[in-house]
Amino acid sequence: MSEPILRVALPVPLRRLFDYLPPAGCDGAALLPGVRLRLPFGRRQVVGVLMAVAITSTVDQKRLKRVVELLDAAPLFTPPLFSLLQWAAGYYHHPIGEVFASALPLRLRQGERAVVDRPELWRLTPSGEALQWSDLGRAPQQQLLWSHLRHAPSGLTLAALKLLHPRPLSLLRAMERRAWVEVQPGHPEPATTIGEVQSPPYLLNSEQQQAVETICARLGRFQPLLLHGVTGSGKTEVYLQAIAAVLERGEQVLMLVPEIGLTPQLVDRFYCRFGIELGLSHSGLNDRERTEVWLRVAQGELPLLIGTRSALFTPFARLGLIVVDEEHDGSYKQQDHFRYHARDSAIKRAQLEGVPIVLGSASPSLESLYNVQRGHFLIQRLHERAGVATPPPIHLIDLRQQPAENGLSPPLLTGIRHHLRQGNQVLLFLNRRGYAPTLLCHRCGWVANCHHCDARLTLYAGRSDMICHHCGDRQRVPLLCPQCGDRGLKALGSGTERVELALEQHFSDVEIVRIDRDSTRRKGSFSAILEQIHSGRAQILVGTQMVAKGHHFPDVTLVAILNGDQGLFSVDFRGMEKMAQQLLQVAGRAGRGEKAGEVVIQTHAPDHPQLPHLLRHDYDAFAVEALAERQEVGLPPYTHLALFRAEAEQGEDAARFLQQLADAAVDAGCAGVELLGPIPAPMERRGGLLRYQLLLQAGERAALHRALAPLLLWAETLKSGRKVRWSLDVDPVDLY
Ligand code: ADP
Ligand code: ZN
Ligand code: ZN
């Protein structure tokens, strides 16, 4: 009798499974899908995941190799997660072995044993608890850690404390020497008991109440609910109370947040409410910590996991609810390798797990609103701002009448002065880093371009080189125009640095902070800056979208959008949607506390047809129009897109490869699918490579997938594909 055949997914870029014989002395027929196997592949050994046990193989049994080692006694993937990953590999047409590998923390991917080291917990001693905020006035970093520890009666892991400080250990040791904190061995048992609750639930308003009831009435079965309410309308309070109900049932919760949405404030709020050890999954974790969280959630030890995109692929012992906060956020879409969308995949997971999913947003994606229209999602609106005031009024400043200098127009400067005089804070939003985006010769029109990209170089203040934001290349700032020798080179346009410098001139006695990827590059500097804002020392904040998300600054009363034109004239069909979402998000920063706020937008296009809706905070009216437009021209969510991208040193190679794909698609007669291209990408040259793209568009999702599947298998074998780096993006967020 022949042996059972193990069908294995391997971490290689091929869209197929590989057949192996069971390890010596092991009953292959008894193995369950989802266990890891170490096996020979070429000249190496790799770790794969068992997908199925079969009776026959297309490969001659004598030529099959044998698995070296069985790594797990039980599957690492729960059945719903296993199905989700299979679905994702099919839906995104990504090699299945890479999909499974990307779900595993690195250590498990490398074949380490799946056993948990329980982390130690740090907590305040009675004398630590007796301290006052002011006792630590001379040690602001310790003060920060202390205030968070105070909210976490059952103690915090080092992984959680890393959200607050890059190297918390030395601070903790110092506090330990003074007997303010103590370290506890990790829980020997699952932390099922809910500790002391420091902030009891609020009495909900009727809309919040309805939302919580809707969720609770559907526990135990699949139901998406869109929770649409402006910033400050109490969405998080709804999550908290729905989560409490799920924990009460002994079930677990997964909450996804955008990349920069996992703030100490949010974490504090959960500690204060539940008093339990939280599972946190964020980019600051090292691999040991990531593995620990993954395994402890899998074993049901951590009742609540809050994390960014990739937390979606954590196995849960008893998942009861999924929450996706800021569901419209672009960071849910992975932009390289395995290009999945975490919100869309979370909906699929909720369906497979048979649990409700809550999608929260102040400005929902058009996709989700369309799903409400079609009856696929329920919707609950939160109209009132919980606690305070009406939404802040939004005014326009017409830059054609009142030109800006260094990004700041005269009426804006007057406004800033006025708000500062009241003792309030001002937030200026500009989605552009650096000093200026362009260096131009006024005499001959020469512009400083990157040598490797179709892009301009960005100038930085006080630096002698300019940087390309697309490939990172640098060039020295020339003293004379390289083309005509003129001395009159001008920095054109404004980035956050230039605005900051101009503000220092105008408001010399005021503390100003800048928040962007450059100013927060050093770990921990972001939390230090946030501290500066909360303590009120800094009065003016200038920043990119990093300031727009999740932060609650009660003393900010004026929010200004310096370059309102950026989104209005975007080439991307989602540009306007993103602009509207960003505007509402930024506007939501104004007047969140007791004080009323206002918002101003500087623009050259005050008559833009979409602006009136946004000025009235009427996202619904905006969305209705935007959806009608998408329907009229046949764009998502009314049609479905897939984008092949190809790049090569020689443009012809990339174009030829895509042309062969297009021809093959036509030959296959893929009904219901329209082909656009190959055409050069909007930024044709990037990092020295020439880029082309081929867009597939279909009215029916199924037709698109029918066309893609054979095309990809064929593309893998194509000779012209070897000189080319290519990828497929299903449901692309950006078309470039
Ligand atoms: P969102 O998540 O929509 O921005 P939050 O849940 O953070 O809104 O609520 C905004 C503020 O209002 C918070 O300070 C919160 O504590 C408070 N809040 C929320 N719900 C209530 C309520 N029902 N009663 C009183 N205050 C509330
Ligand atoms: Zn010149
Ligand atoms: Zn470049």
Side-chain angles (χ1 to χ4, degrees):
M1 205 184 84
S2 63
E3 283 191 85
I5 308 293
L6 305 187
R7 315 217 62 204
V8 187
L10 299 183
V12 294
L14 295 171
R15 288 167 180 78
R16 48 168 292 205
L17 299 178
F18 295 83
D19 289 356
Y20 281 84
L21 295 173
C26 165
D27 175 13
L31 293 183
L32 291 173
V35 293
R36 293 173 303 153
L37 305 166
R38 191 191 300 283
L39 43 78
F41 185 72
R43 264 174 290 168
R44 327 171 268 155
Q45 283 198 353
V46 300
V47 174
V49 176
L50 179 65
M51 302 304 290
V53 180
I55 304 169
T56 58
S57 171
T58 50
V59 181
D60 182 2
Q61 185 83 232
K62 286 199 255 346
R63 291 182 44 216
L64 284 179
K65 291 191 188 150
R66 197 169 281 286
V67 168
V68 176
E69 188 187 359
L70 169 66
L71 294 170
D72 302 309
L76 277 194
F77 300 92
T78 58
L81 178 58
F82 190 84
S83 305
L84 177 77
L85 295 170
Q86 278 183 313
W87 168 84
Y91 185 88
Y92 293 104
H93 297 272
H94 197 79
I96 190 158
E98 289 188 350
V99 170
F100 272 81
S102 72
L104 288 169
L106 188 64
R107 296 190 158 217
L108 298 179
R109 218 181 298 161
Q110 291 168 339
E112 275 192 35
R113 274 176 23 131
V115 287
V116 190
D117 301 324
R118 279 185 194 80
E120 296 175 330
L121 291 166
W122 289 88
R123 69 174 191 194
L124 293 177
T125 59
S127 65
E129 273 166 21
L131 289 173
Q132 300 289 319
W133 171 260
S134 53
D135 294 341
L136 291 164
R138 284 148 169 276
Q141 298 288 0
Q142 289 188 16
Q143 204 176 34
L144 204 62
L145 286 187
W146 173 80
S147 75
H148 288 282
L149 285 167
R150 221 169 38 132
H151 292 156
S154 56
L156 290 175
T157 59
L158 211 52
L161 289 162
K162 278 187 181 174
L163 271 178
L164 307 170
H165 195 275
R167 284 172 298 279
L169 203 56
S170 54
L171 292 171
L172 289 166
R173 294 269 181 245
M175 292 167 79
E176 193 181 25
R177 278 194 295 277
R178 309 191 66 164
W180 290 338
V181 300
E182 61 188 0
V183 63
Q184 297 255 302
H187 287 293
E189 278 167 30
T192 44
T193 48
I194 292 182
E196 178 190 343
V197 171
Q198 303 211 342
S199 82
Y202 285 101
L203 197 61
L204 298 177
N205 67 35
S206 66
E207 288 177 327
Q208 287 177 313
Q209 184 69 35
Q210 265 175 29
V212 172
E213 279 170 12
T214 305
I215 300 161
C216 291
R218 284 165 181 80
L219 295 179
R221 58 196 155 105
F222 171 60
Q223 175 65 56
L225 172 75
L226 179 65
L227 187 61
H228 179 186
V230 297
T231 320
S233 60
K235 296 185 294 297
T236 311
E237 188 60 32
V238 170
Y239 308 152
L240 284 164
Q241 299 207 15
I243 289 170
V246 177
L247 300 184
E248 197 76 12
R249 285 161 57 109
E251 292 174 341
Q252 294 169 289
V253 177
L254 166 64
M255 174 152 153
L256 296 179
V257 293
E259 231 146 60
I260 38 188
L262 192 52
T263 58
Q265 284 169 324
L266 180 79
V267 173
D268 260 3
R269 209 161 150 193
F270 277 79
Y271 277 121
C272 290
R273 181 62 58 87
F274 298 124
I276 51 173
E277 188 191 345
L278 299 176
L280 298 173
S281 172
H282 56 91
S283 57
L285 298 188
N286 63 32
D287 194 57
R288 193 177 52 75
E289 292 162 335
R290 197 181 307 282
T291 308
E292 211 168 80
V293 169
W294 202 89
L295 290 171
R296 294 180 71 207
V297 172
Q299 290 168 11
E301 260 187 53
L302 292 172
L304 175 55
L305 176 65
I306 308 179
T308 49
R309 187 173 64 218
S310 64
L312 174 66
F313 298 129
T314 311
F316 279 75
R318 326 170 280 281
L319 187 61
L321 174 71
I322 303 178
V323 175
V324 182
D325 192 26
E326 311 281 0
E327 63 90 26
H328 63 276
D329 194 273
S331 74
Y332 285 126
K333 172 84 182 192
Q334 175 142 313
Q335 300 284 16
D336 52 13
H337 305 291
F338 171 28
R339 295 174 152 83
Y340 66 98
H341 198 300
R343 175 202 58 218
D344 297 348
S345 306
I347 296 167
K348 183 69 192 177
R349 177 148 189 194
Q351 188 191 27
L352 291 166
E353 302 262 5
V355 302
I357 176 167
V358 182
L359 309 173
S361 177
S363 49
S365 62
L366 295 182
E367 276 77 6
S368 293
L369 289 173
Y370 178 57
N371 276 321
V372 171
Q373 273 181 17
R374 292 196 294 173
H376 292 188
F377 293 3
L378 293 175
I379 184 167
Q380 176 66 51
R381 302 292 312 262
L382 302 181
H383 289 94
E384 299 159 43
R385 266 191 157 192
V388 272
T390 45
I394 308 180
H395 315 288
L396 296 177
I397 293 176
D398 185 349
L399 289 177
R400 296 169 311 181
Q401 313 281 338
Q402 304 182 281
E405 204 177 305
N406 299 317
L408 304 164
S409 64
L412 176 59
L413 286 169
T414 311
I416 295 175
R417 212 161 275 131
H418 173 74
H419 281 264
L420 292 181
R421 217 175 291 133
Q422 317 272 312
N424 296 327
Q425 290 174 320
V426 170
L427 189 158
L428 307 177
F429 174 76
L430 175 62
N431 228 351
R432 191 186 272 153
R433 300 183 284 135
Y435 181 77
T438 304
L439 183 68
L440 171 84
C441 170
H442 261 299
R443 186 155 149 228
C444 74
W446 173 86
V447 171
N449 281 319
C450 175
H451 293 320
H452 313 284
C453 308
D454 293 328
R456 294 173 178 184
L457 295 167
T458 298
L459 289 158
Y460 277 82
R463 288 178 62 150
S464 57
D465 46 9
M466 307 174 278
I467 300 176
C468 173
H469 280 175
H470 302 281
C471 71
D473 198 48
R474 288 151 195 262
Q475 285 178 37
R476 288 194 77 75
V477 179
L479 294 174
L480 307 175
C481 171
Q483 191 163 282
C484 74
D486 195 72
R487 286 181 179 280
L489 292 176
K490 282 259 165 13
L492 211 66
S494 301
T496 45
E497 280 188 2
R498 188 172 198 165
V499 172
E500 183 190 18
L501 290 169
L503 287 166
E504 282 169 6
Q505 298 291 316
H506 288 288
F507 305 98
S508 51
D509 52 344
V510 164
E511 197 157 331
I512 299 162
V513 292
R514 175 164 59 86
I515 304 178
D516 56 28
R517 241 189 307 145
D518 302 309
S519 74
T520 57
R521 187 149 297 163
R522 269 190 324 126
K523 269 195 160 189
S525 48
F526 193 24
S527 40
I529 292 176
L530 288 179
E531 220 293 299
Q532 234 178 318
I533 299 170
H534 287 296
S535 69
R537 278 202 307 283
Q539 284 175 278
I540 305 181
L541 340 169
V542 192
T544 57
Q545 61 186 0
M546 286 185 84
V547 300
K549 296 191 183 172
H551 307 291
H552 179 48
F553 304 132
D555 291 330
V556 168
T557 53
L558 173 65
V559 167
I561 295 169
L562 299 187
N563 186 355
D565 299 339
Q566 240 165 4
L568 295 178
F569 303 105
S570 164
V571 289
D572 183 355
F573 77 89
R574 292 185 209 271
M576 193 64 212
E577 179 187 353
K578 281 186 211 157
M579 145 96 185
Q581 290 163 344
Q582 216 158 51
L583 180 95
L584 290 185
Q585 193 144 38
V586 177
R589 301 301 116 203
R592 288 201 73 188
E594 307 291 304
K595 302 170 180 172
E598 67 170 315
V599 179
V600 300
I601 305 175
Q602 300 190 132
T603 175
H604 289 96
D607 308 322
H608 192 286
Q610 301 275 27
L611 276 176
H613 297 316
L614 300 178
L615 295 185
R616 290 196 314 266
H617 294 265
D618 195 347
Y619 185 78
D620 290 330
F622 161 79
V624 165
E625 260 177 39
L627 274 170
E629 237 172 65
R630 297 264 185 99
Q631 184 164 29
E632 204 175 318
V633 293
L635 281 168
Y638 297 94
T639 59
H640 308 282
L641 301 179
L643 185 67
F644 279 101
R645 297 187 180 87
E647 53 184 29
E649 271 166 38
Q650 307 295 325
E652 312 88 82
D653 289 337
R656 187 176 328 111
F657 171 76
L658 291 180
Q659 188 59 54
Q660 281 175 311
L661 277 186
D663 292 344
V666 171
D667 287 347
C670 44
V673 179
E674 226 182 302
L675 294 165
L676 296 120
I679 53 163
M683 186 186 291
E684 187 174 351
R685 206 165 50 106
R686 179 164 166 177
L689 297 175
L690 286 144
R691 310 157 74 226
Y692 278 75
Q693 55 190 38
L694 171 67
L695 186 68
L696 280 73
Q697 184 170 31
E700 298 287 326
R701 199 182 278 293
L704 186 64
H705 286 284
R706 267 198 306 277
L708 286 173
L711 220 50
L712 281 157
L713 287 180
W714 187 72
E716 277 177 3
T717 65
L718 216 58
K719 264 215 186 75
S720 60
R722 294 200 195 134
K723 286 189 228 160
V724 178
R725 275 222 313 250
W726 65 272
S727 64
L728 171 68
D729 194 348
V730 174
D731 302 335
V733 169
D734 296 314
L735 294 187
Y736 47 84

